[in-house]
Amino acid sequence: MNKLNGILMKSVGGFYYVRCDGKEYECKARGSFRKYGNSPITGDNVVITVPDEGFAAIEEILPRKNKLKRPALANIDVLVIVCSTVDPIPNFAVIDKMTAAAVDNDMEPVIVISKNDLQNGDMIAQIYRNSDIKTFQCSPKDEDEIALLREYLQGKVTAFTGNSGVGKSTLLNILFKDLQLQTGQISQKLGRGRHTTRVVELFELDGCYVADTPGFSTVDLQRYEMIDKTQLQYCFPEFKKYLGECKFTSCSHTCEKGCRILQALDDEEIERTRHQSYVLMYNEVKDIKAWQLKE
């Protein structure tokens, strides 16, 4: 019986599909995982045993770097947030909630601005570049920028999200040519839409892993990844250099006199839309206890 380390690519109907050294194994999971409420999820690094006959088995889930509640994903390095210049226009509050959720979960947020061929996205890009968030401007004709994004994702596990209509599927197909056919097959198999099965799958593509997530919506991130008010300030990278310089140690950075963040805002060192999003998020959670957010 061989013992191998691998990454869990997907789970369907009680079976787990684990890739080890370029080969995929269909596995069962030990009952002890369910007993302790820690079932394997897509993205998990696992240890499996492979018998001479019968199904392989997941024996151990290795420590997770991070975990999203919904969709259930583990060990994500990069969360790519796709927003478009038009149709739909960007909703900065939603985008900023997603970037904050990424930082809070030890993921790197990356902004990709689509439809630059329809309307220039420089203003949007500047907001996020000024906020110390990696930003790309991509359209089907931006071959150089597409190449830079593809290179940036090399060797990483990446999940893509964005509101309906922003061009996420188009971007994925431009980035990864081999995904063109697979995307169509998955759509037919899983029946994306109102009655979609919430199957989360990783694809190994061009030197990186890409999470294809039916039903992965901004609503999920907003509902399931709320951030404790004491930690929220750390989820806005542009705040970092000012933290600790406020007049009051309990400063919420929303309205207090002597707040260094508000001073930076007045000095145009922090983008106004970003601070507005911070205040909105703070007010949503200020009366919620930390233990309630973990439920």
Side-chain angles (χ1 to χ4, degrees):
M1 183 175 291
N2 295 324
K3 186 173 283 190
L4 302 172
N5 284 33
I7 183 170
L8 177 55
M9 306 297 284
K10 67 176 177 179
S11 59
V12 180
F15 288 94
Y16 299 86
Y17 297 85
V18 177
R19 183 175 292 278
C20 306
D21 298 325
K23 183 177 179 181
E24 194 165 282
Y25 295 87
E26 187 178 57
C27 305
K28 287 284 192 179
R30 297 298 184 194
S32 58
F33 293 121
R34 290 189 295 275
K35 180 179 178 181
Y36 294 105
N38 187 35
S39 296
I41 61 174
T42 299
D44 270 334
N45 294 309
V46 297
V47 178
I48 68 172
T49 52
V50 182
D52 294 332
E53 295 183 3
F55 290 108
I58 296 177
E59 302 287 347
E60 182 182 356
I61 301 172
L62 298 178
R64 290 166 175 152
K65 172 184 175 181
N66 51 45
K67 176 187 175 183
L68 287 177
K69 295 177 185 177
R70 184 174 178 181
L73 272 170
N75 301 315
I76 299 298
D77 298 315
V78 176
L79 181 67
V80 171
I81 301 149
V82 185
C83 65
S84 55
T85 57
V86 291
D87 300 323
I89 61 173
N91 183 323
F92 293 113
V94 170
I95 296 167
D96 295 337
K97 282 188 177 185
M98 290 191 285
T99 64
V103 175
D104 190 51
N105 283 282
D106 195 24
M107 306 172 190
E108 180 190 3
V110 170
I111 300 291
V112 173
I113 302 165
S114 64
K115 303 186 183 180
N116 286 273
D117 52 333
L118 300 180
Q119 184 168 307
N120 187 285
D122 288 350
M123 184 193 74
I124 305 167
Q126 198 60 41
I127 289 172
Y128 290 99
R129 288 175 180 145
N130 288 345
S131 304
D132 297 327
I133 295 174
K134 191 74 175 178
T135 303
F136 297 86
Q137 292 173 258
C138 297
S139 70
K141 296 181 180 180
D142 292 330
E143 294 182 4
D144 291 342
E145 195 79 350
I146 290 288
L148 287 173
L149 176 58
R150 186 185 295 113
E151 181 181 358
Y152 192 76
L153 300 180
Q154 289 296 297
K156 299 172 183 174
V157 179
T158 302
F160 285 74
T161 186
N163 277 335
S164 177
V166 297
K168 184 178 67 170
S169 297
T170 300
L171 174 66
L172 280 165
N173 286 331
I174 294 172
L175 277 169
F176 308 108
K177 302 299 184 184
D178 292 342
L179 195 59
Q180 292 276 5
L181 178 60
Q182 292 177 2
T183 299
Q185 291 174 333
I186 295 160
S187 297
Q188 185 177 13
K189 181 178 179 182
L190 298 181
R192 287 184 180 170
R194 288 182 301 167
H195 306 293
T196 186
T197 302
R198 297 186 70 88
V199 173
V200 181
E201 182 170 2
L202 283 184
F203 291 100
E204 190 173 10
L205 299 164
D206 300 337
C208 60
Y209 288 98
V210 176
D212 181 79
T213 53
F216 191 176
S217 71
T218 56
V219 174
D220 289 336
L221 278 177
Q222 292 177 70
R223 180 178 178 185
Y224 293 97
E225 304 300 330
M226 296 183 74
I227 302 166
D228 179 14
K229 65 182 179 184
T230 63
Q231 297 301 309
L232 185 59
Q233 60 187 336
Y234 303 111
C235 298
F236 284 71
E238 64 270 41
F239 289 9
K240 184 176 180 180
K241 62 184 177 182
Y242 306 110
L243 296 178
E245 297 182 9
C246 296
K247 182 176 180 179
F248 303 105
T249 56
S250 60
C251 186
S252 70
H253 317 305
T254 59
C255 60
E256 296 89 342
K257 291 183 179 180
C259 174
R260 186 65 181 88
I261 300 294
L262 292 179
Q263 182 61 54
L265 182 66
D266 289 340
D267 294 341
E268 298 184 349
E269 296 170 0
I270 289 176
E271 295 288 342
R272 192 157 297 276
T273 59
R274 292 280 291 169
H275 185 259
Q276 289 170 345
S277 296
Y278 168 83
V279 173
L280 178 66
M281 294 174 68
Y282 184 88
N283 287 333
E284 286 178 346
V285 299
K286 66 180 181 180
D287 297 323
I288 301 176
K289 305 298 182 184
W291 63 267
Q292 292 174 302
L293 294 174
K294 295 179 180 179
E295 290 184 334

